Amino acid sequence: MSKHYALTATKRERAGKGVARALRREDCIPAVIYGDHKEPVMISMPIKEVSIRFQQGGMKTHICELTVDGKKETVLARDVQLNPVTDRIEHVDFMRVGPKTKLVVHVPIHFTNQEVSPGIKAKGILNIVHHDLELRCAAGDIPEALEIDMSAVDLGDAMKLSAIKLPKGAEIMGHKGADITV
């Protein structure tokens, strides 16, 4: 379901504001790997690699094969901190994941077949209130996007979230039985 990508990193021994600033001057960013009942590992990563991956999108929903000094870790980016002025990445938190790890992620919603929807053809307007949904699923089953087929939707129709096809074992969080109205 979810796509994979790869990044490289090196271990770092020291933490703190001064160390982080020194890393950023060397075009690296500080990061940390945590979870899976293991000790957290402080790492540094090349800013260019991480920025390119972040700009491509989906960094928080795609599994990453992170190589730290030759050792591979399967992780998922849980937090990407940006500079409030320059929008440059300042820090990344990665969580170790396994095949059975369940987590809550925000997955985008895509509305398909809008061009053939009777409601849209009748000059109706699709009012999108939420562009993503909070989904609880296994780390390996995170979908790229949730799709809602609009081909049979007419004016005033309400679509149930239960009609969305979810990966096995996944559940929508916080919107039980909610509707989407067109």
Side-chain angles (χ1 to χ4, degrees):
M1 278 279 193
S2 68
K3 293 183 179 178
H4 288 50
Y5 64 96
L7 291 173
T8 58
T10 56
K11 237 179 198 178
R12 61 186 169 98
E13 299 300 321
R14 297 177 36 216
K17 192 186 314 182
V19 174
R21 286 180 178 164
L23 283 171
R24 290 184 194 111
R25 280 192 296 270
E26 297 169 5
D27 289 328
C28 290
I29 57 167
V32 66
I33 303 171
Y34 62 89
D36 203 23
H37 306 293
K38 296 178 185 173
E39 286 294 315
V41 177
M42 295 182 296
I43 58 174
S44 66
M45 307 174 73
I47 185 72
K48 185 176 180 180
E49 272 186 53
V50 179
S51 294
I52 290 171
R53 182 63 230 171
F54 183 71
Q55 295 299 321
Q56 289 172 346
M59 190 168 173
K60 292 183 179 181
T61 57
H62 296 163
I63 302 291
C64 175
E65 292 295 328
L66 185 60
T67 306
V68 181
D69 294 335
K71 183 182 171 197
K72 289 193 178 208
E73 297 259 13
T74 304
V75 297
L76 185 70
R78 295 303 283 169
D79 187 32
V80 179
Q81 297 168 9
L82 302 175
N83 182 299
V85 176
T86 63
D87 279 342
R88 184 180 164 138
I89 297 173
E90 299 242 321
H91 189 274
V92 182
D93 290 345
F94 290 101
M95 185 174 95
R96 291 182 189 98
V97 294
K100 294 183 181 181
T101 305
K102 280 204 159 206
L103 24 102
V104 176
V105 293
H106 289 270
V107 179
I109 302 171
H110 292 166
F111 295 88
T112 59
N113 298 322
Q114 292 182 44
E115 63 280 352
V116 296
S117 169
I120 303 278
K121 283 184 174 180
K123 305 287 188 220
I125 297 173
L126 175 63
N127 184 13
I128 301 173
V129 177
H130 297 284
H131 293 276
D132 61 15
L133 284 177
E134 205 171 40
L135 191 68
R136 184 173 190 262
C137 62
D141 293 335
I142 300 171
E144 187 71 24
L146 298 173
E147 292 190 358
I148 297 176
D149 185 17
M150 301 283 297
S151 60
V153 177
D154 208 347
L155 288 174
D157 282 355
M159 297 173 285
K160 297 273 186 197
L161 290 178
S162 59
I164 299 174
K165 187 177 179 181
L166 299 175
K168 185 180 177 183
E171 61 182 308
I172 297 172
M173 306 297 290
H175 294 283
K176 300 269 188 228
D179 295 339
I180 300 172
T181 305
V182 180

